Amino acid sequence: MQPQTKQEHIVEIVSDSGEGAQKCGQTFGTISAKMGNGVWTVEIIPAEIQPPARTPSGASGIRIRLGSKEITNVGNEGDLVVAFNEQVLYSRIANGAYKEGTVVLLDNRWESDRSTEIQQMYKKAVAEFRDHGLVVHELPIHEACLKVVKDPRKGKNMFVLGMLCRIYNRDKEMGRNEIALTFAGKAEKIITSNQKLFDAGYQFAAEQLGEYFFEIPTREDRSDSPMVVTNGNTAVGLGVMASGMELVSMYPITPATSASHYLADVFPAAGGFVHQAEDEIAAIAFAIGASYAGKTACTITSGPGMALKTENIALAVMAEVPLVIVNVQRGGPSTGLPTKIEQGDLLSALYGEPGDAPKIILAAATIAECCSMVVLARKLAESFRTPVIVLTDANLATGVQPWERPELSRDMLAPPLDQSEWNSDIPAYDWDEKTGLSQRPIPGMPNGEYVLTGLSHTKQSKVSYESAENQYSATMRSRKLATLQSTLTPPNIHGDESGDMLVVGWGSTFGAIEEAVDNLRTTGEKISSIHLRFLSPLEPGLTEIFSQFKKVITIEVNYSDDINAPMITTENRRYAQLAMVLRVQTLADVDCWSAVYGHPLQPEMIGNVLQERLNQLNKKTGE
Amino acid sequence: MQPQTKQEHIVEIVSDSGEGAQKCGQTFGTISAKMGNGVWTVEIIPAEIQPPARTPSGASGIRIRLGSKEITNVGNEGDLVVAFNEQVLYSRIANGAYKEGTVVLLDNRWESDRSTEIQQMYKKAVAEFRDHGLVVHELPIHEACLKVVKDPRKGKNMFVLGMLCRIYNRDKEMGRNEIALTFAGKAEKIITSNQKLFDAGYQFAAEQLGEYFFEIPTREDRSDSPMVVTNGNTAVGLGVMASGMELVSMYPITPATSASHYLADVFPAAGGFVHQAEDEIAAIAFAIGASYAGKTACTITSGPGMALKTENIALAVMAEVPLVIVNVQRGGPSTGLPTKIEQGDLLSALYGEPGDAPKIILAAATIAECCSMVVLARKLAESFRTPVIVLTDANLATGVQPWERPELSRDMLAPPLDQSEWNSDIPAYDWDEKTGLSQRPIPGMPNGEYVLTGLSHTKQSKVSYESAENQYSATMRSRKLATLQSTLTPPNIHGDESGDMLVVGWGSTFGAIEEAVDNLRTTGEKISSIHLRFLSPLEPGLTEIFSQFKKVITIEVNYSDDINAPMITTENRRYAQLAMVLRVQTLADVDCWSAVYGHPLQPEMIGNVLQERLNQLNKKTGE
Amino acid sequence: MFGIKADWSLDIQERYFTLDDYEGNEARWCSGCGDHAVLATAHRILRDAQLPPEKSVFVSGIGCSSRMPHYMATYGLHGIHGRALPLACGVKSRRPDLDVWVATGDGDCYSIGAGHWIHAVRYNMDMTVLIFDNQIYGLTKKQTSPTSPIELKTNTHPEGASLDAMNPNTVTLGITNASFVAQVVDWNPPLLHETLKAAHAHKGASFVRIIQRCPVFVDSITKELQEDASRLRLLTHENGIPVAKGVEKLFPDSVEHDPSDMAGALRIARDETEKGIIPVGLLYQNQNIPCYSDLSGQGVETTDEEKIAATNAALDVFAI
Amino acid sequence: MFGIKADWSLDIQERYFTLDDYEGNEARWCSGCGDHAVLATAHRILRDAQLPPEKSVFVSGIGCSSRMPHYMATYGLHGIHGRALPLACGVKSRRPDLDVWVATGDGDCYSIGAGHWIHAVRYNMDMTVLIFDNQIYGLTKKQTSPTSPIELKTNTHPEGASLDAMNPNTVTLGITNASFVAQVVDWNPPLLHETLKAAHAHKGASFVRIIQRCPVFVDSITKELQEDASRLRLLTHENGIPVAKGVEKLFPDSVEHDPSDMAGALRIARDETEKGIIPVGLLYQNQNIPCYSDLSGQGVETTDEEKIAATNAALDVFAI
Ligand SMILES: Cc1ncc(C[n+]2csc(CCOP(=O)(O)OP(=O)(O)O)c2C)c(N)n1
Ligand SMILES: Cc1ncc(C[n+]2csc(CCOP(=O)(O)OP(=O)(O)O)c2C)c(N)n1
Ligand code: SF4
Ligand code: SF4
Ligand SMILES: [Mg+2]
Ligand SMILES: [Mg+2]
């Protein structure tokens, strides 16, 4: 029998926490990537460490979207789901993860559970799922595993991997090899036992699910460059290493910490050090100390940690200390939604500090950029003698995707520590009046001695009592941003250069927005999009670009007032964060649509919003 | 001889630190206020605690502007200066404090100092001052004091007070009485000795300076209401007491601390308590704890302290805790200019917190408002269940002015602690969907038990795992601002309702802007101004108001890029802080002029800027 | 422990509270987590004391242990990481009538909250402070805490923690105004109960370090102690924590220690670092240290008239 | 004290440094302020050690005392209030070759910086920490500090400070990894010099609490001590701070104390709170505590090639 060809499929594996669904899904994603598919993987994480079993709030798992194009986001509703129990599916359904026709492969062990209560729950749920339009297959997965291992809770995941590899016609040997890699370092026995489970699952699917046999063709747009598969936080860690920075100073906070966990493992091999400080204030102060001493450092954190760093960020701006700050944004404000995605920290990054604190702000749009932007950030920080904030988010942090392996080179690395003699005629802040730029002496350089201070200071870094000097130094710090902007090019326009509507986005919504725009364009809509990587300074040319469209709208994952809501007027409406910035700088009537549901935006959701606005627009303009 | 009538005069007393110039000036200001003049007093404070004597950077003193109208700002250049030594005048000259013709009454003791170096410095300075156009009178002040007391360094200030009282034809008895009040509680001997010095000074001026004899007529616009004379920080303290709040939780920081010093003295009599916490984080957390427990509290701070409070402010917003935060703005960013004025914290107040953190922000424009806005803030905080930030600044904090004594009443006070039974059907956040408002249970209320949390939460304050709930609660928190705005009226327009130019200001620049606008209007310019007290939400009607003017411009004391500076374009220009907010909300092309010289804006300076823009405008529009 | 307002007494006579009245949401800690034991003990102490649930406030920071307020049916303030103590001090400051408890973790209190810890000891406000010390960051999944044993492998120190564990007791005892310092393990229910009861009864800030099981991340640390009680040293004294005979038997090592003896307390506390012998019981108590809450609460009964009069008097000084 | 890179030695031979080479801007403290004495001592210690000025970094927070870096001709980092210690630790972290000093005040270190103080003791990075303890907030003009004597009238406590003064030494000694704890007064130049010299020579974080005159705001506190030396207790020992005979004579109360004796150190330190006897000298020293800077500095010599190779190896793991 020939497999059915599919351009893409979204697969989920959902289980109780601790059943290995994530490992199964990641391995499946890696195999698919190796076979040349586009892949995006995102974890489904419960809020608690040990949530109760068989409960909706305990749903733990993974979604893998794979296709014959590059995949840049989680996609819309799932096509096929493997569920270890029925209860966990409820939370996925509540999140709108499935559609009519989604195939559910459900372990049927609960049907015959010792507890009649569980039996009933199971039956009720299956009936409800069917009513909901899901195509439920009740399968003896647990039972089949029992034939291979004693405790299927440890191993069912590899059985399911086998099932999926058969269903998606993956190379069986590659699957077995991948298991060997996954368990590398473990006892041989463990590897073979998991491979047996894999084989059993493969066979099980062939026998029981013959109707589900798909082929996802290899990406045509696949480049020949070597690829790596990681999540965004690992990419940040790799970026730190590739940048030549030697110090990450951090305090644990979800969802940022795993970047530091990763570095704690691999950084020492590159001569680097991860410092876990007593709090976020100490973490950034420590990084500033190291940066001042010539070793530009990095601190990695999330919302509440950023809040605590506010005062030190102002010091770094004022005293012009190069510094890289990675903010893996999560749901806010306050403790908010610690494990969920939001793009809510743009304005606080821009304006968080009392007084005027201009700094560079970048936002990674893809997992690859989580790496490359850290490299860029170190360079910018040193060239512009300023802190650089790199914004990523929980979606990028835990999403897994193949990306082009960076070719490392020396010029990505920090220059060697300069300890040569400083020309004592050059003051510590030798501002070039046109650009605001200056060179800095590094402790250890003879004749470079100066005292860095957060007080208003002269060129010589002396405490300044003169009113004009404060104005002057503020001007120099601000001018650096304009200087940087003058080196940037306008953003690429995805789609035509003029039309009805321009969508503007930033950060992890990149893939979803472009996919939505592409879908609308195929239906004939005159819509285009741009995606900003530089938020401070903004990329140039926006006024000109905006002027070519009837309407400009941002799509963001942060809060904005709905213009149709009670009490809300055009004058008091609180806009989405990028929309505000764009309105200030372009005076274009930039509209916005944004939401804080805590989950990544799906292309379909975006598409519906945009379609509605397009309809309004065309009605209004009478077309 | 009849005194010459003057509509207003600006007097300065400048000395080394510790010579009592401030006490002299404050007493002079109070006497003048009591006699019915408009008065504005501002201290000249050196950056160091004990700066070296006879140095420009050590200049310590006071400026008193008095007139027959209400005086709302420091004014332009001084008319008459009493200087205890010549060196301190240099810094005032550098600050542009004097003009051609300013009368300088200079103690001539240095002319015959034992050190020939000092003698020469003195002579050189006098010559330079005269070249500069100052009218210098070298007077044997020290010598004259020696006739009354042994150590004129302790007492010269009262001698000078006597001189000024004669020059400005103040009621002599009132002067003597004021001295008795100033030294109330001190030994009788001290009072009489100071009164003797006063008398001697009075006579000295009559004899030596007969040509300087002025009359400043009583204010015509003077109301019959009783008045008080205080600086802005004392007014904040009085506002705290008048509001019925019982707790101020603070950590020392210039220029905010003196408000707490004042309260530490007088608050206990009203049953209040000042808590000096271990840092600003603890200070606000302590206040949040008390507010949660039903006693809405206040925390008072400045820039770096605000930065540290960021995370707790977000908690208060998220959990809807009423709280009053007074930010006495100083020069930033970072340690910046700790004793100097800036209006640099508007954007950080609005957007400092990661995530969406809507809150109410008020800005006091006058010293009276430093008091009344704290009273208002407590009420708003409780009605809208939110933190309220009151912005004042170093100019208001140390400026002294007579203001109408508030008539205290019970409805200014917090309602009594409610410990009645809570209706258990009502959840802890019983959001009214239309307004976002809700009532809160107070610990001690039976059946009201709930757990306040900074996590995303349901109406019941349970940790929320549902995506829609986060969107809903964010909406409710934001809607409160729109609700408040719907109760506000558009700002008063100072001047005509339409014209060429509208100036928009906020905070302590109020008096200077209106004075500048008035001056321009007398020359026929079509210019008006509005001054915003509500910054979040904004007062309504701005789009409509702006549309009646050819140009809208903000005047602010914070940093903005000069549009004519190198590298700066309309698209990358960093605007002054209020200008940004107005551009977002109105899309009017709001221009701005702002500077961070660290000193209050003078009406003349503002007038010049506006005149220039008016000229450009009229040129452009071809008038 | 705390004053109940006069107008409350009548009501209280009529209400009888059962454990149910103190139990909040179902606890969502892992099974085997020591936090469950502490929670159950707190429920019982309040029930035994018959405190109306609306008069207690449980204040916490962020961490697994800081979820405790959600599991109480009293009022609660689940604050932000590290700030439990200043939040709690604020609650108490103008509400001396409230019964204030603090739930904080070893990261929350000894790392990010260290400055507040020092100063809360100094303030000595009347409250019961429970430090759930599992020697690890639980909620964020296994990072090193200040009390993590050296060489413990964690996610931030995969090669093992690099610093010797902090000894919180020697620090607390070194802070002027320390008035109640005790240590207990979570897995001995009677001892836990007596310790928290004594802490609750003490007027002042009672600091109880609870050595707590976190089987998910650092099972072995407490398992060793559970299996080998000889690493624990029971402190006994007539003024100490009352220990039932049956309980005493479980401790091969026990020593008489007068909780008023600071030098002895310091010596015993230091043995934990120097000899690995972990004291269990009341290290130090001094009932004569003034409570800052007595000071900060002054004037709470001030009437509106008095407030207005005082403010008018303040205005008079500036009148012209 | 610190390693000088090989390529430096030749140069050093040729340079001879005088006091001038260490003197920065003219000090702007009040006359009679104890800070002047500390500054002069630091100049001399560097001169005696002939350390190239470019190799020392003075790090501070905010306060009168925190202005010290401006008055040195070395490198300096005048940071923000309370953060001197983490800033300094950062400087040292990847630059073990630099000679790091910290200047901090009683407010800067013991109040807002208290958490960092605890943890800097734990880290024990190689640096010299001078705590200028004038028992008051100087720069902000007379507010209560943690070490202000109880009942001292200040601007925030016009009726007198309400808490007993914190004893910083009992806290520092209670922190695991304390390796050098000394106390000295600013007005005894030879003793000050010997104390700072010993602190500077110690490998590890040397904490020196300097009881410092602030004649402007709290003249009487130190005046009393200057006038009545019997309130001070000189600690002598062959391993302690060397005390010249002439100096020893000035102290009516002196006691032999072995700085390796922690129990003794604690007792002596506690006497300050309990009996008002202020120890002067070396309370505790332990040269065997590991320095975190040795750890954090590992790998500073890694070459570009090694870095690239390590990163490539890390990438290999994820290659497909
Ligand atoms: C400002 C801030 N930083 C970091 C975090 C992340 N965080 C939450 S709990 C925690 C530590 C938990 O450890 P502990 O206090 O020992 O409590 P446990 O979970 O072990 O009970 C951290 C670092 C946060 N929520 N806020
Ligand atoms: C975040 C912050 N809070 C408060 C201040 C104000 N401030 C400056 S110095 C200081 C305390 C100074 O006391 P101390 O540390 O004892 O130093 P001293 O001036 O006595 O030497 C304070 C509160 C500040 N600069 N920054
Ligand atoms: S992770 Fe550890 S501390 Fe947290 S709930 Fe689970 S067992 Fe308890
Ligand atoms: S105020 Fe005190 S501490 Fe500050 S410089 Fe003057 S004397 Fe020294
Ligand atoms: Mg813990
Ligand atoms: Mg001090």
Side-chain angles (χ1 to χ4, degrees), chain A residues 226 228 238 242 371-372 403-409 412, chain D residues 311-312 315:
Chain A
V228 288
L238 289 164
C371 174
S372 63
W403 47 283
E404 216 167 279
R405 177 178 176 141
E407 227 177 290
L408 304 179
S409 74
M412 285 183 178
Chain D
T311 312
N312 267 322
L315 282 163

Side-chain angles (χ1 to χ4, degrees), chain A residues 491-513:
Chain A
N492 278 333
I493 300 173
H494 181 76
D496 292 333
E497 288 187 9
S498 65
D500 288 345
M501 187 177 283
L502 179 74
V503 184
V504 190
W506 65 284
S508 72
T509 50
F510 173 60
I513 290 176

Side-chain angles (χ1 to χ4, degrees), chain D residues 34-187:
Chain D
D35 295 356
H36 293 287
V38 183
L39 177 68
T41 306
H43 290 155
R44 286 211 291 133
I45 285 170
L46 291 183
R47 194 267 324 264
D48 294 351
Q50 283 296 301
L51 290 180
E54 70 271 16
K55 297 297 269 183
S56 289
V57 183
F58 280 72
V59 183
S60 66
I62 300 285
C64 290
S65 38
S66 290
R67 289 284 172 117
M68 184 178 185
H70 291 283
Y71 311 146
M72 301 294 306
T74 63
Y75 280 90
L77 201 178
H78 180 206
I80 50 180
H81 192 39
R83 318 303 166 192
L85 285 164
L87 285 163
C89 289
V91 169
K92 189 76 184 174
S93 66
R94 300 294 293 175
R95 292 297 306 274
D97 59 311
L98 294 174
D99 172 42
V100 176
W101 295 68
V102 175
T104 176
D106 44 327
D108 202 59
C109 183
Y110 303 140
S111 193
I112 190 169
H116 308 307
W117 160 35
I118 304 279
H119 288 274
V121 174
R122 297 189 70 219
Y123 298 138
N124 193 39
M125 293 177 95
D126 189 13
M127 55 180 63
T128 309
V129 183
L130 311 178
I131 300 127
F132 293 71
D133 190 348
N134 54 4
Q135 304 169 45
I136 196 75
Y137 283 12
L139 190 69
T140 44
K141 304 190 176 174
K142 203 175 185 180
Q143 295 86 20
T144 311
S145 103
T147 54
S148 293
I150 190 165
E151 291 177 0
L152 179 76
K153 289 192 166 43
T154 69
N155 281 322
T156 35
H157 294 100
E159 300 296 316
S162 50
L163 298 178
D164 245 325
M166 162 192 277
N167 184 329
N169 294 319
T170 53
V171 178
T172 306
L173 290 167
I175 306 166
T176 312
N177 283 0
S179 77
F180 185 104
V181 185
Q183 178 153 290
V184 67
V185 296
D186 79 55
W187 55 87

Side-chain angles (χ1 to χ4, degrees), chain B residues 30 34 226-229 405, chain C residues 314-320:
Chain B
T30 306
K34 285 191 174 169
M227 305 286 276
V228 288
V229 181
R405 177 177 176 141
Chain C
L315 282 163
D316 286 344
V317 174
F318 305 108
I320 52 170

Side-chain angles (χ1 to χ4, degrees), chain C residues 47-262:
Chain C
R47 194 267 324 266
D48 293 351
Q50 283 296 302
L51 289 180
E54 69 271 16
K55 297 296 269 182
S56 290
V57 183
F58 279 73
V59 183
S60 66
I62 300 285
C64 290
S65 38
S66 289
R67 289 284 172 118
M68 184 178 185
H70 291 282
Y71 311 146
M72 301 294 305
T74 64
Y75 281 89
L77 200 178
H78 180 206
I80 50 180
H81 192 38
R83 317 305 166 189
L85 285 164
L87 286 163
C89 289
V91 169
K92 188 76 183 177
S93 66
R94 299 296 292 176
R95 292 298 306 277
D97 60 309
L98 294 174
D99 171 42
V100 176
W101 295 67
V102 175
T104 176
D106 44 327
D108 202 60
C109 184
Y110 303 139
S111 192
I112 189 169
H116 308 308
W117 161 36
I118 304 278
H119 287 274
V121 173
R122 296 190 70 220
Y123 298 137
N124 193 38
M125 293 177 94
D126 189 14
M127 55 180 62
T128 309
V129 183
L130 311 178
I131 301 129
F132 294 70
D133 190 348
N134 55 4
Q135 304 169 45
I136 196 76
Y137 283 13
L139 190 69
T140 44
K141 304 191 175 171
K142 203 176 186 181
Q143 295 87 17
T144 311
S145 105
T147 53
S148 293
I150 190 165
E151 292 178 0
L152 179 76
K153 288 194 167 45
T154 69
N155 281 323
T156 36
H157 293 101
E159 300 296 315
S162 50
L163 298 177
D164 245 325
M166 161 191 278
N167 184 329
N169 294 318
T170 54
V171 178
T172 306
L173 290 167
I175 306 167
T176 311
N177 284 0
S179 77
F180 185 105
V181 185
Q183 177 154 292
V184 67
V185 296
D186 78 56
W187 55 87
N188 188 322
L191 208 56
L192 182 63
H193 186 267
E194 291 300 335
T195 306
L196 299 202
K197 193 171 148 192
H200 191 233
H202 173 76
K203 173 156 177 174
S206 320
F207 279 81
V208 184
R209 176 179 180 224
I210 303 169
I211 297 179
Q212 174 231 318
R213 287 164 296 165
C214 171
V216 173
F217 292 128
V218 283
D219 198 27
S220 63
I221 297 180
T222 45
K223 197 158 253 169
E224 274 171 29
L225 296 178
Q226 284 177 278
E227 282 164 5
D228 177 10
S230 75
R231 285 199 38 218
L232 305 174
R233 170 175 291 163
L234 185 69
L235 308 182
T236 59
H237 193 269
E238 53 175 345
N239 297 329
I241 308 297
V243 190
K245 276 278 157 302
V247 171
E248 194 164 350
K249 267 195 329 212
L250 300 172
F251 291 87
D253 182 1
S254 103
V255 70
E256 172 108 351
H257 164 65
D258 180 348
S260 70
D261 169 15
M262 173 60 93

Side-chain angles (χ1 to χ4, degrees), chain A residues 162-163 166 172 198-209:
Chain A
M163 285 169 63
R166 155 70 202 188
K172 197 173 167 189
F198 174 87
D199 293 343
Y202 197 95
Q203 199 185 332
F204 179 90
E207 286 167 12
Q208 308 251 351
L209 292 162

